[in-house]
């Protein structure tokens, strides 16, 4: 049993490492896209395709969705996803992806510990040190960029300041998404089921903001 548990933990850690690597690489691509087209249009198309993709796999798995007792988590997950990704794409439009990633990744571990303290859980000192060290390292990167000591230079304007706060909000909401997704997973939802049902809010809001150009742009750029 212990061997199985360790194997599952190792697989989970490797998945997180690869997730962080792919996320960092994809953020560069996202930054280029949202700077060329409206952010809401990009989110509407990308998350619509994502929802359809995972809905297909959810149906092939033939698992029955247990809505009773989980609707609240689905609603919360959709709300957190809206804030996380909207803040994320807004931030990428005005701030370099390196800064957005640093703030998002840096605030996450610290916010998790804050939630644990609110829940009156005991937190080992090592976890506090790791979270603080991660946040400090991220802040050092941001300060270097803002001061012009890096290859990336940034001019401070009001949209940039708002984008920096949006990056922090993105990290906080990403943690909430993880918590709500875990609750659904423990309730018997598969990964495909969770991903197929977490983007309703993003798709709806994005479509309402871009319905006049959505079909024209989508048909002209389907490739």
């Amino acid at each position: 049993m212990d061997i199985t548990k360790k194997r599952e933990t190792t697989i989970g850690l490797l998945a997180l490492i690869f997730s962080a690597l792919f996320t960092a690489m994809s953020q560069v691509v996202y930054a280029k896209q949202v700077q060329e087209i409206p952010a809401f249009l990009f989110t509407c198309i990308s998350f619509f395709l994502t929802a359809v993709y995972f809905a297909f796999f959810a149906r092939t798995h033939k698992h029955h969705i247990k809505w009773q007792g989980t609707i609240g988590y689905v609603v919360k997950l959709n709300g957190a996803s809206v804030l996380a990704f909207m803040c994320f794409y807004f931030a990428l439009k005005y701030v370099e992806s390196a800064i957005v990633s640093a703030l998002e990744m840096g605030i996450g571990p610290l916010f998790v510990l804050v939630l644990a303290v609110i829940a009156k859980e005991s937190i080992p000192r090592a976890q506090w040190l790791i979270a603080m060290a991660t946040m400090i390292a991220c802040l050092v990167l941001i300060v270097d960029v803002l001061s012009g000591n890096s290859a990336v230079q940034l001019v401070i304007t009001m949209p940039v300041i708002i984008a920096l706060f949006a990056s922090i909000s993105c990290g906080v909401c990403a943690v909430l998404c993880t918590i709500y997704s875990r609750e659904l997973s423990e309730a018997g939802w598969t990964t495909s089921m969770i991903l197929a049902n977490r983007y309703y809010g993003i798709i709806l809001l994005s479509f309402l903001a871009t319905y006049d150009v959505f079909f024209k742009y989508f048909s002209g750029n389907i490739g």
Side-chain angles (χ1 to χ4, degrees):
M1 188 69 175
D2 291 337
I3 296 177
T4 302
K5 186 66 176 179
K6 289 181 179 179
R7 185 179 301 168
E8 291 177 351
T9 303
T10 302
I11 294 174
L13 290 173
L14 290 174
L16 286 173
I17 292 173
F18 282 111
S19 174
L21 290 174
F22 286 127
T23 299
M25 290 186 290
S26 63
Q27 284 178 351
V28 178
V29 179
Y30 294 155
K32 181 178 184 299
Q33 293 295 329
V34 297
Q35 289 172 3
E36 293 180 352
I37 66 174
F40 283 112
L41 181 59
F42 181 73
T43 55
C44 187
I45 294 174
S46 60
F47 286 108
F48 173 75
L49 293 176
T50 301
V52 171
Y53 177 84
F54 284 106
F56 170 78
F57 281 101
R59 288 182 62 86
T60 58
H61 290 162
K62 297 181 179 179
H63 283 278
H64 178 66
I65 296 180
K66 301 177 181 178
W67 290 105
Q68 186 175 4
T70 61
I71 295 180
Y73 290 120
V74 175
V75 173
K76 292 177 181 178
L77 178 59
N78 272 267
S81 297
V82 168
L83 293 175
F85 286 103
M86 292 304 186
C87 288
F88 172 69
Y89 289 117
F90 176 83
L92 285 180
K93 193 172 186 67
Y94 296 100
V95 179
E96 289 296 332
S97 56
I99 297 180
V100 177
S101 299
L103 280 173
E104 179 188 356
M105 298 299 178
I107 198 66
L110 197 57
F111 183 63
V112 169
L113 297 185
V114 171
L115 291 178
V117 170
I118 295 175
K120 297 181 179 180
E121 298 179 6
S122 178
I123 307 298
R125 183 179 299 178
Q127 291 190 18
W128 280 110
L129 292 176
I130 293 173
M132 293 300 297
T134 302
M135 190 64 197
I136 291 173
C138 294
L139 290 176
V140 169
L141 170 64
I142 295 169
V143 170
D144 281 342
V145 173
L146 295 178
S147 61
N149 294 326
S150 68
V152 180
Q153 295 187 358
L154 191 66
V155 179
I156 300 298
T157 60
M158 183 55 66
V160 169
I161 294 175
I162 297 175
L164 292 175
F165 282 104
S167 300
I168 297 175
S169 301
C170 176
V172 171
C173 292
V175 172
L176 295 177
C177 287
T178 303
I179 294 174
Y180 300 140
S181 296
R182 184 179 180 87
E183 294 290 345
L184 290 173
S185 179
E186 292 177 350
W189 286 49
T190 65
T191 303
S192 297
M193 289 160 56
I194 295 173
L195 291 172
N197 291 276
R198 67 173 289 187
Y199 300 125
Y200 297 137
I202 298 177
I203 295 171
L204 178 61
L205 290 176
S206 299
F207 182 75
L208 290 176
T210 60
Y211 68 92
D212 54 335
V213 296
F214 173 82
F215 294 104
K216 180 179 179 180
Y217 185 88
F218 187 80
S219 60
N221 295 272
I222 188 65

